[in-house]
Amino acid sequence: MSINIGQAGQLYKEHFGFEPETGVRAPGRVNIIGEHTDYNHGFVMPMALERETIILARKRTDNTLNAFAATLGRSAETCLDNRARNPHESWLDYIVGVADELAKLGKPITGADIMITGDVPIGCGLSSSASLEMAALAMFETLGGFSLGGPEAAQLGQRVENRFLGLNSGIMDQFIARMGQAGHALFLDCRSLKFEHVPVSFPRATFVIANTCLARGLTSSKYNERVAECNEAVAVLAKTFQRKGTHLRDFTLHELAEAHTLMADNVYRRARHIISENERTRNACDAMRNGDAAALGELMNDSDRSLREDYEVTSPELDAMTRAARCLPGCYGARMTGAGFGGCTINLVEKDAAEEFGKRLLEEYFEQTGYKGAIITSAPAQGAGKLF
Ligand code: GLA
């Protein structure tokens, strides 16, 4: 983490004229494998990053939320009794959305003077929004003197996205932001919410994250379109096999192939990605447990191909970056990470070659696209918590 808490506290004091009474944090995340599987009740394997959102706060006696987004240089005020979206300050929606879901649970939500800061790149597929939601939740918990269970907290964050913000996303981002464990990836069954913290300990390999530095517009409408396509595939499969399947998790590749002619080709390919990605993610978890970088790298490459050809959520720039990565010495595998359409890639690279890999990857990326990318390195970090 590159945020200096002392300096952040100083900034808070300059802005509000008094000291914060508490500070909380929640990390961004990178997904190692298991992409777009969460809302299909499948498997994912993300890890939390040493990039985080920090909120410093002091309770107020009224129900006003007086917020200063230091990173954006913006301020906004709202009454927490009146929880509506703010068309001018969309960053505030994540916090008000959390307050709204807490109110629905009957939890006490208190007005506060808060300052938000952080170093999760915004809109780059590293879950800056989930980290803000989980930091906001930690703040309301601390100020309100209550605490939700981990999975319950993640579900609340998902409801903020689904109901308040209108994105039909799954539970992965909030789950890892809350439940991440330092040094570990998290293997999660998004149906049962059973999880395992898997040590990230390859003897000779490390993850390198590369940012295309291009965030795509229309991501949420494209995202919801994919969710709808998956639901369409489920409807056809359930009808064909007279089963009560509710999600793609409930069907096999064999069944999908049998029903191929009964659905549009794009719907078939979306479903093929999901069902095969679930299989890859389970195998990737085994590879992680065994410290087998070669096997995991292969699975990451396969995942990327499936996301590019079947799920169609990559972009020319993401493709340029993963293609270039695979040609560099020491690269076990490369794939896009997160929702797609822009954002970051994750690469598994020989430790000794990692520095040179990052440098050459950015050169290649620039040569092929004309854009300047950025490298992010991070050990697996801890989930949300209290700083003081
Ligand atoms: C976004 C969503 C997640 C997940 C990923 C794709 O990050 O918030 O729920 O669906 O995209 O794997």
Side-chain angles (χ1 to χ4, degrees):
M1 193 212 38
S2 60
I3 308 293
N4 179 313
I5 301 299
Q7 279 172 7
Q10 192 55 39
L11 190 58
Y12 182 100
K13 197 171 169 198
E14 277 163 27
H15 188 83
F16 291 108
F18 45 81
E19 310 260 357
E21 71 175 84
T22 189
V24 294
R25 51 166 288 282
R29 65 99 187 91
V30 67
N31 191 17
I32 298 167
I33 198 163
E35 216 65 87
H36 287 274
T37 44
D38 57 356
Y39 53 83
N40 288 294
H41 278 192
F43 302 94
V44 295
M45 193 165 61
M47 68 182 204
L49 294 177
E50 294 165 314
R51 296 286 188 113
E52 54 195 23
T53 301
I54 285 174
I55 301 183
L56 304 185
R58 174 165 287 277
K59 207 192 254 185
R60 290 172 61 100
T61 47
D62 59 15
N63 278 348
T64 302
L65 182 74
N66 183 9
F68 170 44
T71 334
L72 306 175
R74 302 201 60 92
S75 294
E77 204 181 279
T78 188
C79 175
L80 287 174
D81 297 333
N82 212 339
R83 298 174 300 272
R85 286 183 67 175
N86 184 327
H88 308 295
E89 307 291 344
S90 54
W91 53 275
L92 196 66
D93 292 346
Y94 296 93
I95 304 162
V96 175
V98 167
D100 193 49
E101 286 300 330
L102 282 172
K104 286 184 183 138
L105 290 180
K107 300 291 179 195
I109 44 171
T110 40
D113 293 310
I114 73 171
M115 182 182 105
I116 308 149
T117 185
D119 60 358
V120 188
I122 295 171
C124 291
L126 300 179
S127 278
S128 53
S129 8
S131 82
L132 177 52
E133 287 155 8
M134 291 300 99
L137 176 58
M139 175 198 75
F140 284 120
E141 286 176 298
T142 306
L143 296 182
F146 64 92
S147 174
L148 301 185
E152 196 191 352
Q155 282 168 323
L156 182 142
Q158 187 189 6
R159 289 199 299 276
V160 172
E161 295 282 347
N162 296 171
R163 297 180 185 175
F164 202 75
L165 304 167
L167 185 73
N168 298 325
S169 55
I171 199 164
M172 167 171 71
D173 303 346
Q174 291 79 11
F175 208 96
I176 182 69
R178 176 81 175 208
M179 302 289 284
Q181 195 177 96
H184 295 75
L186 179 126
F187 178 70
L188 174 67
D189 178 335
C190 298
R191 169 166 278 168
S192 66
L193 299 189
K194 281 202 183 120
F195 61 92
E196 176 188 339
H197 287 117
V198 190
V200 178
S201 58
F202 296 104
R204 282 195 309 276
T206 188
F207 290 112
V208 176
I209 300 162
N211 192 348
T212 61
C213 293
L214 292 171
R216 278 286 159 95
L218 292 180
T219 308
S220 61
S221 61
K222 285 277 174 206
Y223 187 99
N224 286 347
E225 185 183 295
R226 292 295 178 278
V227 177
E229 288 166 329
C230 290
N231 291 340
E232 212 176 310
V234 170
V236 175
L237 287 165
K239 191 162 166 226
T240 309
F241 298 103
Q242 299 290 313
R243 278 213 268 120
K244 281 213 191 79
T246 55
H247 291 80
L248 282 171
R249 161 77 173 272
D250 301 313
F251 300 95
T252 63
L253 277 179
H254 184 77
E255 287 171 326
L256 179 67
E258 267 183 50
H260 188 170
T261 52
L262 303 172
M263 56 182 87
D265 190 56
N266 64 312
V267 172
Y268 168 75
R269 285 183 295 113
R270 305 303 186 240
R272 185 167 63 180
H273 165 71
I274 300 299
I275 300 174
S276 62
E277 183 81 347
N278 278 334
E279 186 65 24
R280 281 187 289 273
T281 307
R282 276 191 291 216
N283 292 339
C285 183
D286 287 340
M288 285 277 282
R289 286 194 199 104
N290 300 333
D292 187 344
L296 179 57
E298 239 352 271
L299 291 161
M300 289 168 68
N301 286 335
D302 291 348
S303 165
D304 193 62
R305 189 179 312 118
S306 179
L307 286 157
R308 185 171 58 250
E309 293 172 4
D310 277 356
Y311 219 63
E312 297 183 278
V313 290
T314 62
S315 66
E317 293 80 18
L318 282 167
D319 293 343
M321 208 169 225
T322 49
R323 217 174 27 237
R326 286 184 203 108
C327 297
L328 290 172
C331 179
Y332 290 106
R335 59 181 290 277
M336 58 146 274
T337 184
F341 307 108
C344 290
T345 69
I346 178 168
N347 310 272
L348 187 60
V349 184
E350 195 80 50
K351 265 181 199 154
D352 294 342
E355 206 179 319
E356 182 66 12
F357 170 88
K359 205 170 128 252
R360 289 190 53 192
L361 182 60
L362 294 188
E363 284 165 9
E364 286 288 326
Y365 175 66
F366 183 73
E367 198 155 294
Q368 286 177 34
T369 64
Y371 294 114
K372 263 178 98 163
I375 297 293
I376 297 169
T377 50
S378 169
Q382 190 69 24
K386 202 171 157 178
L387 288 165
F388 61 88

